[in-house]
C-alpha cells in the first residue's frame, strides 16, 4: 500500500525591504536570519551595487553552514501589488566558497538574481520601488527530511537620508534682484555644510541658475527637485537632477541646468511673481549610501510532523519596535514603517511621510472630510503640516495605526494633545489629557492650563486649576505665572478668582 502522505519538506522564506533605495550606491548586507527549521543555519542576503556601472544589481545568498545539504531556491523582486517578478529558480543547489564577497561575513555564497538597474529605476520604477522601497523575497526548500516545517523571516533596512523641504521666496525679484543663498544643513566630517545659491547669469542668457555648494565632506549622493509655486499655489516642476559629491576637503559646486529666464517670469508676472516675489519649492535629499537602521523578525509559520504539533510562536531577534509580531497592530505598524501600498503623504519639516487614506480617514473625522470632499490636498496627493513637528506627527501616526503610545512626557504629551485635537482623534486627546492631569507639576501647570483653555477642555482646565489652588504659594510666585498674567491675564484672573472662592468657603 502506497504512502498517502506527501513527502516532508522544510521551507524558509526571507523577505527583505530596503527603504530609500534610490540612495543605495554601496553594497548592502542584511542582518543575519537564523532559521530554526534548517538546522539553525544563519543566512544573509546581499545586494551588490558595485556592478551598477554595468547597469546591473546582483542579489546573493550566504550562509555560515558549510555542511548544509542541497536546497531548492527561488529569488524574486516583489512588485507594489505583491506579485513576484524578475525571479529565478534552481533546484538542489549548493553554496560555494567565495572570499571576495562578504569581507567579515560568512564566505559560503550563491549568486542568484541579476537584474537590470534600468528596469528598477526607470522602466518599472512604480512597480518595483513604491515609496522608494525595494522588496526582495528568497525562498529556500529542503527535501527528504523527517518532518515538515515552514518559517518566515522579515527584514526592513533603511538607507540613511537627510532631507530638507522648503519654499524659497526670492523677494523684490524685478527690482534689481541678482542672487541669494539658502542654508540646507551641516553635518561635520560626513556631509559637510550644504547650501543653495540662486542667481541670474548673463552667460546663461539671463536665466535663473541654481547651484548647490558644499565646503567639504565624504562622498554623498544628492537629489534636488525645484518647482515654481504660482499665485494659485500650483506647483510647476522646473527641474529635477541628481549628483555625486566626491570625498574632498575642498569646496565643490554642483550647478543644475538653467531654469526660466528673467524675461519669461516678468512676462507672466501676475501669475508667477505675486507681490514681486518668486516662490521656489525646493526638495533636497542627500545620502552617504550607508544603512541607517535594520530590523528583523523570524516567525515559524507552522511546524508539524506526523506525531507532534508545535504551537506557533514568534521570535524577535533584532528590532526597534516593541510590538508582538504577528498581530494586526504589528502588521499595520509594518505598512506605516515601509510605506507599502500608501496613497497619500504628510509633509512635515523636511520629512515626507507616506500614509494610507483609508486608515487616517477611519480614525480622524478631519482627514475623512479631507479625503471625501473636493479638497486641494486630495487631488495633489499630499498635505503640508506646518504647525506640528516631525516627532509629534510620527507619534501621532503610530497611535493612528496601532493604538500604541510610548514614552510620554509632559512636553510631548502637550504637543500630541494639540495634534489629536486638530485632527479630532478624541480617544488620543483623552489619553494625553489623562496623562497631563496625572503628571501636572508646579513647573508645568501654567503651560497645561493655557493648553486646556485654548482647546476648551473644561475637565482638564478644572483639574489644573485645582492643582494650582493646592500649590498656590509656589506657583503664584513663579516666572511661569508672571508670564501667564502678562500674556493671558483673563485666564490668570479667572484662576485667581477660583482660588479665592475656595478659600472663602473653607
Amino acid at each position: 500500500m502506497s504512502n498517502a502522505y506527501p513527502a516532508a519538506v522544510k521551507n524558509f522564506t526571507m523577505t527583505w525591504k530596503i527603504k530609500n533605495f534610490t540612495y543605495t550606491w554601496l553594497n548592502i548586507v542584511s542582518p543575519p536570519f537564523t532559521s530554526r527549521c534548517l538546522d539553525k543555519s544563519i543566512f544573509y542576503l546581499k545586494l551588490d551595487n558595485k556592478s551598477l556601472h554595468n547597469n546591473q544589481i546582483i542579489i546573493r545568498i550566504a550562509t555560515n553552514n558549510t555542511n548544509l545539504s542541497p536546497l531548492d531556491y527561488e529569488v524574486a523582486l516583489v512588485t507594489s501589488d505583491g506579485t513576484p517578478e524578475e525571479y529565478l529558480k534552481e533546484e538542489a543547489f549548493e553554496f560555494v566558497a567565495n572570499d571576495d564577497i562578504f569581507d567579515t561575513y560568512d564566505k559560503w555564497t550563491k549568486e542568484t538574481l541579476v537584474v537590470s538597474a534600468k528596469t528598477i529605476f526607470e522602466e518599472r520604477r512604480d512597480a518595483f520601488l513604491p515609496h522608494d522601497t525595494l522588496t526582495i523575497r528568497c525562498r529556500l526548500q529542503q527535501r527528504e527530511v523527517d518532518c515538515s516545517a515552514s518559517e518566515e523571516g522579515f527584514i526592513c533596512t533603511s538607507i540613511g537620508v537627510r532631507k530638507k523641504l522648503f519654499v524659497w521666496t526670492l523677494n523684490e525679484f524685478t527690482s534689481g534682484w541678482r542672487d541669494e543663498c539658502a542654508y540646507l544643513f551641516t553635518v561635520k566630517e560626513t556631509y559637510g555644510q550644504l547650501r543653495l545659491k540662486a542667481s541670474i547669469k548673463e552667460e546663461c542668457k539671463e536665466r535663473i541658475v541654481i547651484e548647490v555648494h558644499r565646503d567639504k565632506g565624504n562622498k554623498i549622493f544628492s537629489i534636488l527637485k525645484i518647482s515654481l509655486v504660482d499665485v494659485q499655489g500650483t506647483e510647476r516642476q522646473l527641474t529635477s537632477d541628481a549628483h555625486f559629491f566626491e570625498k574632498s576637503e575642498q569646496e565643490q559646486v554642483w550647478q543644475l541646468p538653467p531654469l526660466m529666464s528673467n524675461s519669461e517670469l516678468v512676462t507672466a508676472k501676475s501669475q508667477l511673481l505675486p507681490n514681486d516675489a518668486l516662490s521656489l519649492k525646493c526638495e533636497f535629499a542627500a545620502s552617504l549610501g550607508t544603512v541607517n537602521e535594520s530590523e528583523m523578525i523570524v516567525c515559524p509559520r507552522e511546524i508539524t510532523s506526523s506525531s507532534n504539533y508545535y504551537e506557533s510562536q514568534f521570535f524577535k531577534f533584532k528590532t526597534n519596535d516593541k510590538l508582538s509580531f504577528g498581530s494586526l497592530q504589528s502588521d499595520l505598524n509594518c505598512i506605516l514603517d515601509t510605506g507599502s501600498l500608501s496613497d497619500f503623504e504628510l509633509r512635515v519639516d523636511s520629512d515626507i511621510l507616506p500614509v494610507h487614506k483609508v486608515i487616517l480617514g477611519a480614525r480622524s473625522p478631519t482627514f475623512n472630510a479631507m479625503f471625501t470632499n473636493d479638497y486641494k490636498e486630495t487631488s495633489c496627493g499630499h498635505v503640508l503640516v506646518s504647525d506640528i513637528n516631525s516627532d509629534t506627527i510620527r507619534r501621532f501616526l503610530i497611535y493612528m495605526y496601532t493604538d500604541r503610545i510610548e514614552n510620554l512626557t509632559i512636553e510631548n504629551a502637550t504637543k500630541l494633545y494639540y495634534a489629536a485635537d486638530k485632527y479630532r482623534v478624541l480617544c488620543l486627546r483623552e489619553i494625553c489629557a489623562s496623562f497631563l492631569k496625572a503628571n501636572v507639576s508646579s513647573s508645568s501647570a501654567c503651560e497645561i492650563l493655557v493648553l486646556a483653555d485654548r482647546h476648551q477642555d473644561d475637565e482638564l482646565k478644572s483639574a489644573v486649576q485645582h492643582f494650582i489652588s493646592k500649590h498656590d504659594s509656589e506657583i503664584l510666585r513663579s516666572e511661569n505665572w508672571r508670564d501667564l498674567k502678562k500674556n493671558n491675564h483673563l485666564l490668570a484672573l479667572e484662576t485667581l478668582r477660583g482660588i479665592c472662592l475656595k478659600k472663602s468657603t473653607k
Side-chain angles (χ1 to χ4, degrees):
M1 181 176 177
S2 63
N3 189 353
Y5 295 98
V9 295
K10 291 181 178 179
N11 295 296
F12 182 49
T13 301
M14 299 177 281
T15 301
W16 187 18
K17 287 183 177 289
I18 307 174
K19 299 167 66 175
N20 299 325
F21 190 75
T22 294
Y23 302 90
T24 305
W25 51 274
L26 296 172
N27 290 347
I28 309 173
V29 180
S30 74
F33 292 94
T34 301
S35 173
R36 289 161 51 91
C37 72
L38 295 180
D39 304 323
K40 297 184 179 179
S41 302
I42 296 175
F43 295 94
Y44 303 93
L45 290 175
K46 181 184 178 183
L47 190 139
D48 184 357
N49 270 319
K50 289 184 178 178
S51 58
L52 273 178
H53 65 278
N54 294 323
N55 198 34
Q56 291 180 329
I57 293 173
I58 300 174
I59 300 166
R60 309 177 192 271
I61 311 171
T63 183
N64 69 330
N65 189 346
T66 60
N67 298 313
L68 194 63
S69 60
L71 301 171
D72 300 342
Y73 82 83
E74 174 190 293
V75 176
L77 299 184
V78 181
T79 63
S80 57
D81 63 359
T83 304
E85 295 189 19
E86 295 289 338
Y87 62 86
L88 183 66
K89 295 182 179 181
E90 184 175 332
E91 294 185 358
F93 84 88
E94 296 183 2
F95 287 95
V96 296
N98 188 328
D99 294 330
D100 300 324
I101 297 298
F102 275 80
D103 299 325
T104 59
Y105 294 86
D106 300 283
K107 309 299 183 183
W108 293 80
T109 67
K110 175 68 181 180
E111 181 177 310
T112 55
L113 185 62
V114 179
V115 185
S116 164
K118 186 176 182 180
T119 299
I120 295 175
F121 289 111
E122 298 177 23
E123 298 172 346
R124 303 284 312 282
R125 184 181 181 92
D126 289 343
F128 288 125
L129 291 180
H131 306 292
D132 206 16
T133 299
L134 182 73
T135 302
I136 303 167
R137 190 185 71 188
C138 175
R139 288 178 170 171
L140 303 175
Q141 186 177 82
Q142 191 175 63
R143 300 177 184 273
E144 299 179 4
V145 292
D146 295 335
C147 64
S148 293
S150 186
E151 193 173 29
E152 290 182 289
F154 302 90
I155 299 176
C156 183
T157 292
S158 178
I159 305 301
V161 181
R162 294 188 65 90
K163 298 180 180 181
K164 185 158 187 180
L165 170 66
F166 65 101
V167 176
W168 190 7
T169 303
L170 308 177
N171 293 307
E172 301 179 353
F173 189 79
T174 62
S175 304
W177 182 92
R178 299 300 296 179
D179 61 70
E180 190 170 327
C181 290
Y183 171 77
L184 290 171
F185 53 77
T186 299
V187 183
K188 293 181 180 180
E189 310 303 331
T190 53
Y191 291 88
Q193 184 186 82
L194 290 138
R195 57 190 176 88
L196 291 183
K197 181 179 180 181
S199 59
I200 295 177
K201 293 193 174 183
E202 294 182 4
E203 60 268 32
C204 295
K205 299 181 181 180
E206 292 294 305
R207 300 175 80 87
I208 299 173
V209 173
I210 302 291
E211 298 172 338
V212 182
H213 290 245
R214 188 177 79 147
D215 61 347
K216 61 180 180 178
N218 294 340
K219 183 176 181 178
I220 61 172
F221 177 64
S222 53
I223 296 176
L224 178 61
K225 177 182 175 182
I226 303 286
S227 302
L228 187 152
V229 183
D230 64 20
V231 68
Q232 283 86 26
T234 303
E235 298 173 16
R236 309 183 184 188
Q237 183 171 329
L238 300 180
T239 187
S240 180
D241 206 357
H243 179 75
F244 273 106
F245 285 98
E246 297 297 332
K247 182 176 182 179
S248 175
E249 293 297 315
Q250 306 297 322
E251 182 174 8
Q252 296 172 289
V253 179
W254 165 32
Q255 179 176 308
L256 280 78
L259 307 182
M260 300 175 70
S261 69
N262 189 26
S263 59
E264 289 175 309
L265 290 167
V266 172
T267 301
K269 182 177 180 180
S270 61
Q271 286 294 312
L272 305 183
L273 298 174
N275 301 317
D276 200 24
L278 176 64
S279 294
L280 298 177
K281 180 181 176 183
C282 305
E283 299 177 67
F284 180 79
S287 175
L288 296 164
T290 54
V291 173
N292 184 38
E293 61 182 7
S294 288
E295 58 183 18
M296 182 187 70
I297 58 170
V298 176
C299 52
R301 196 166 46 201
E302 59 178 4
I303 305 178
T304 60
S305 70
S306 58
S307 58
N308 295 293
Y309 172 77
Y310 301 85
E311 183 179 0
S312 177
Q313 302 177 43
F314 291 86
F315 302 93
K316 184 167 137 185
F317 290 93
K318 181 179 179 183
T319 181
N320 298 320
D321 203 340
K322 301 284 197 315
L323 290 175
S324 172
F325 286 87
S327 67
L328 177 61
Q329 276 189 329
S330 65
D331 292 339
L332 291 177
N333 188 76
C334 183
I335 66 169
L336 173 62
D337 283 346
T338 62
S340 175
L341 303 177
S342 64
D343 52 5
F344 197 72
E345 292 176 347
L346 302 185
R347 299 188 176 185
V348 50
D349 296 338
S350 59
D351 294 329
I352 300 175
L353 306 176
V355 294
H356 304 78
K357 290 193 288 188
V358 65
I359 293 178
L360 266 58
R363 303 278 277 164
S364 161
T366 302
F367 279 115
N368 186 276
M370 181 188 299
F371 298 146
T372 55
N373 292 285
D374 190 20
Y375 282 38
K376 180 181 72 173
E377 291 84 356
T378 304
S379 59
C380 68
H382 69 266
V383 62
L384 183 64
V385 182
S386 58
D387 56 342
I388 304 174
N389 65 30
S390 180
D391 179 71
T392 302
I393 283 294
R394 290 181 187 277
R395 291 176 180 275
F396 174 75
L397 290 175
I398 288 172
Y399 177 81
M400 294 284 276
Y401 280 69
T402 69
D403 258 354
R404 181 171 56 94
I405 304 174
E406 289 185 353
N407 303 322
L408 273 183
T409 64
I410 290 293
E411 181 181 3
N412 62 42
T414 55
K415 294 176 180 177
L416 197 55
Y417 179 100
Y418 174 86
D421 190 69
K422 175 181 178 179
Y423 295 111
R424 295 163 61 196
V425 184
L426 301 184
C427 290
L428 178 58
R429 194 182 91 151
E430 181 58 34
I431 291 170
C432 293
S434 297
F435 177 86
L436 293 172
K437 284 185 284 187
N439 293 276
V440 61
S441 65
S442 298
S443 61
S444 64
C446 293
E447 179 187 4
I448 300 173
L449 179 63
V450 171
L451 179 77
D453 183 67
R454 183 178 298 150
H455 293 274
Q456 300 178 346
D457 190 335
D458 293 337
E459 186 176 339
L460 177 59
K461 181 178 176 180
S462 176
V464 178
Q465 287 177 330
H466 178 69
F467 180 88
I468 294 174
S469 177
K470 291 177 62 177
H471 302 84
D472 58 339
S473 59
E474 179 183 358
I475 294 175
L476 299 185
R477 292 187 178 92
S478 69
E479 185 67 29
N480 290 337
W481 181 259
R482 284 191 287 272
D483 290 342
L484 178 64
K485 288 195 298 181
K486 178 180 177 181
N487 299 320
N488 199 331
H489 66 279
L490 291 178
L491 179 59
L493 183 61
E494 175 191 337
T495 304
L496 280 175
R497 184 182 295 115
I499 293 173
C500 292
L501 286 174
K502 283 186 179 180
K503 289 187 175 182
S504 66
T505 56
K506 287 183 178 180

